[in-house]
Amino acid sequence: MKKTLLKFGILLLSIANLSAQIIVINEGSNRNYSTLQDENGEYPDWIELYNPGPDTVNLNQYSLSDRLNKPQKWILPNIDIAPNEYKIIFCSGKDRASTSIFKPVHNTGTFTPVIGWNEHLFTDSIYWDGVSNLLVNTCSYSNTGYTVNSIFNQSKTDFFSAAYFFNDGSEYACSAPFGSKVKMRPNMRINQAVIGDQTVQNSPFDYPAPYGNWYWASRHQFLIRADELAAAGLAPGFITSLAFDVAWTDPNIVYTYVDFQIKLTTDTAIGVDFQQFIPKANLHTNFKLSEEADTVYLFQPNQQLISRLLVDGR
């Protein structure tokens, strides 16, 4: 009898824990003409998730879809939803997750490079899902005037893996709209995974050079493909540090700061246009809602359907 009661108690506990993890689609709109504005000043359709349980739920790998037979149409990023919290997700087709915009991860403040691996421990980590490519944005600035660039050990790639821009006299480079692209990228160490093992080098007056202010300020973007990260031994999880391999540097150089942002991307090569920052991290699905009526489905990571909502604006 005691064994039966024990088993029954474990079953009730399991059911209670499962119920505590359920997230629901609370409401939605397919006629958002003036109610909720996104970061582009537009009014896309939207749905609202709600956590009715007593525990915070991590939504990583949960998914939304407008098709019951396609459960993983849009996968949610690594974000939490607290008890009694509501979270708006725009159904705009823009396909933006919190990881598809740049996340500020570190600003060095006053910084002097040294020869060898210069490691930057992030003040805010970013989650790598194991399948996305990684785009690193840096901006280095020194308000003391002209100096020479640090020289980096770099590796050639068979795709455009880096872009850079530099300018004279200000921090304009940090928001420059475009740059020059090259098939060469500084060797990097992400967590403890080393990306690049060649010894190609820039000169003190050439780029790429993420510690570079020959013209006061420089902006760089570096693309690392997912297969490169996996081959280097990086496992899915939080990225907490980034290091560059410096072959030579002027010990008198003092940077006002070097700023780092990272995002996940499906892009497989760098373009001449820098990918820019979006000021607000709204979530956007890769599908839109019908103006007549549409059903949105929410699935757990195991593709189990846990909530649905008919959005009908008629």
Side-chain angles (χ1 to χ4, degrees):
M1 182 67 176
K2 288 184 178 179
K3 289 185 178 178
T4 302
L5 289 173
L6 179 61
K7 289 180 179 178
F8 183 66
I10 292 173
L11 177 61
L12 287 177
L13 181 61
S14 299
I15 292 172
N17 287 339
L18 179 60
S19 299
Q21 299 298 310
I22 294 299
I23 305 299
V24 299
I25 306 175
N26 190 57
E27 61 176 311
S29 171
N30 62 347
R31 294 178 181 272
N32 179 29
Y33 300 129
S34 61
T35 307
L36 291 177
Q37 189 177 55
D38 71 5
E39 62 273 17
N40 299 117
E42 299 173 346
Y43 296 88
D45 299 330
W46 54 270
I47 57 100
E48 180 182 75
L49 300 184
Y50 173 61
N51 179 4
D55 301 315
T56 295
V57 177
N58 184 273
L59 295 176
N60 188 34
Q61 298 301 307
Y62 279 67
S63 57
L64 288 166
S65 182
D66 57 350
R67 296 182 185 177
L68 186 58
N69 63 353
K70 194 173 182 180
Q72 292 188 303
K73 189 168 184 179
W74 189 77
I75 298 175
L76 278 90
N78 185 59
I79 56 173
D80 292 331
I81 181 168
N84 298 313
E85 182 182 2
Y86 299 87
K87 193 170 292 292
I88 294 292
I89 299 177
F90 288 108
C91 299
S92 65
K94 295 179 182 179
D95 193 13
R96 293 175 185 166
S98 61
T99 51
S100 68
I101 65 169
F102 279 105
K103 181 176 184 177
V105 292
H106 187 62
N107 186 296
T108 63
T110 303
F111 172 68
T112 297
V114 296
I115 294 174
W117 285 105
N118 289 243
E119 185 172 44
H120 304 282
L121 300 176
F122 295 164
T123 52
D124 196 1
S125 60
I126 184 170
Y127 188 86
W128 181 55
D129 57 14
V131 296
S132 298
N133 302 324
L134 210 62
L135 188 63
V136 178
N137 185 94
T138 70
C139 188
S140 58
Y141 174 63
S142 175
N143 60 12
T144 59
Y146 295 104
T147 67
V148 294
N149 298 334
S150 298
I151 295 177
F152 295 81
N153 287 319
Q154 311 206 30
S155 294
K156 293 183 178 180
T157 58
D158 59 3
F159 62 95
F160 287 105
S161 56
Y164 61 87
F165 178 86
F166 54 91
N167 74 279
D168 187 1
S170 74
E171 300 165 274
Y172 169 77
C174 295
S175 57
F178 58 87
S180 300
K181 61 180 182 178
V182 292
K183 295 182 178 180
M184 186 172 76
R185 185 183 59 201
N187 297 340
M188 286 178 275
R189 191 172 68 193
I190 298 175
N191 290 355
Q192 296 304 310
V194 177
I195 313 296
D197 58 4
Q198 300 175 25
T199 57
V200 182
Q201 295 180 354
N202 58 292
S203 81
F205 309 101
D206 292 322
Y207 294 89
Y211 311 146
N213 70 324
W214 174 41
Y215 274 82
W216 292 65
S218 66
R219 181 181 187 181
H220 288 75
Q221 287 187 355
F222 305 113
L223 182 73
I224 307 103
R225 292 177 174 175
D227 57 354
E228 295 180 284
L229 296 167
L234 187 68
F238 287 99
I239 298 174
T240 58
S241 67
L242 171 66
F244 291 105
D245 185 14
V246 174
W248 176 89
T249 190
D250 182 345
N252 297 312
I253 293 177
V254 178
Y255 286 94
T256 308
Y257 63 80
V258 182
D259 200 44
F260 297 85
Q261 299 89 21
I262 299 180
K263 66 177 285 188
L264 275 60
T265 181
T266 57
D267 293 343
T268 57
I270 288 278
V272 293
D273 294 334
F274 281 123
Q275 295 197 29
Q276 302 293 343
F277 305 112
I278 298 174
K280 188 177 179 182
N282 288 316
L283 301 175
H284 292 256
T285 66
N286 57 359
F287 59 86
K288 298 180 179 181
L289 301 183
S290 167
E291 290 187 2
E292 301 301 321
D294 224 337
T295 301
V296 182
Y297 304 92
L298 175 66
F299 299 87
Q300 288 181 320
N302 62 3
Q303 300 185 35
Q304 178 182 348
L305 177 66
I306 58 171
S307 183
R308 72 175 77 193
L309 179 71
L310 175 64
V311 183
D312 188 349
R314 291 176 294 180

